Amino acid sequence: MSLYDLGPLSDQQILARLAGRLRSERLQRNITQQALADLAGVGVATLRRFESGEGNLSLLNLIALLRALELMNLLDALVREPDISPMASLREKGAGIYSEPPLRQRARPESGLAGDAERWSWGDEE
């Protein structure tokens, strides 16, 4: 299993990895739990419970902690709009063959079909 393959993990295991990552980031920056809690505007008890794996963290508190640790870029994949495909971009810009909407074309005009049916034959009528 890859280090980043979270699919097979339980929700609790994912939560524990997330808590460990935030704790590691806090320690690398030499920030105490109290200082981070103050920076993020969350209770220090909430942060302690989360880092120890005993408690859940609301999404708002997670965002506040990520902002305080300057890790908001970790949320990019969740909030970024999907990239537009090259074909959709051409359609949107009206470039190339997409400069005008395609006209619907028929193999033969509708008028005169009845007359054509009388003149046309398979060639086996005798």
Side-chain angles (χ1 to χ4, degrees), residues 68-126:
L69 291 170
E70 298 177 356
L71 295 173
M72 290 298 290
N73 61 319
L74 297 178
L75 295 177
D76 281 351
L78 294 175
V79 297
R80 183 181 323 139
E81 291 293 324
D83 292 334
I84 188 167
S85 73
M87 295 301 289
S89 176
L90 285 174
R91 284 188 191 103
E92 195 174 277
K93 293 176 186 173
I97 62 170
Y98 298 106
S99 58
E100 295 179 16
L103 297 174
R104 185 171 175 190
Q105 298 177 359
R106 298 189 181 270
R108 100 175 58 168
E110 289 186 25
S111 64
L113 286 180
D116 288 344
E118 293 173 8
R119 288 185 278 135
W120 188 86
S121 67
W122 286 101
D124 57 355
E125 301 92 14
E126 288 188 30

Side-chain angles (χ1 to χ4, degrees), residues 31-81:
I31 301 174
T32 65
Q33 286 180 331
Q34 182 66 55
L36 178 58
D38 291 344
L39 277 172
V42 301
V44 70
T46 301
L47 179 58
R48 282 189 184 127
R49 281 192 308 271
F50 177 65
E51 283 189 357
S52 68
E54 296 174 7
N56 273 336
L57 195 62
S58 75
L59 190 53
L60 288 175
N61 285 341
L62 176 62
I63 292 169
L65 289 169
L66 290 173
R67 188 180 309 280
L69 291 170
E70 298 177 356
L71 295 173
M72 290 298 290
N73 61 319
L74 297 178
L75 295 177
D76 281 351
L78 294 175
V79 297
R80 183 181 323 139
E81 291 293 324

Side-chain angles (χ1 to χ4, degrees), residues 17-30:
R17 280 201 182 178
L18 182 59
R21 173 74 190 275
L22 260 59
R23 182 175 189 273
S24 173
E25 291 290 338
R26 177 182 63 79
L27 293 174
Q28 283 180 6
R29 289 169 170 74
N30 200 25

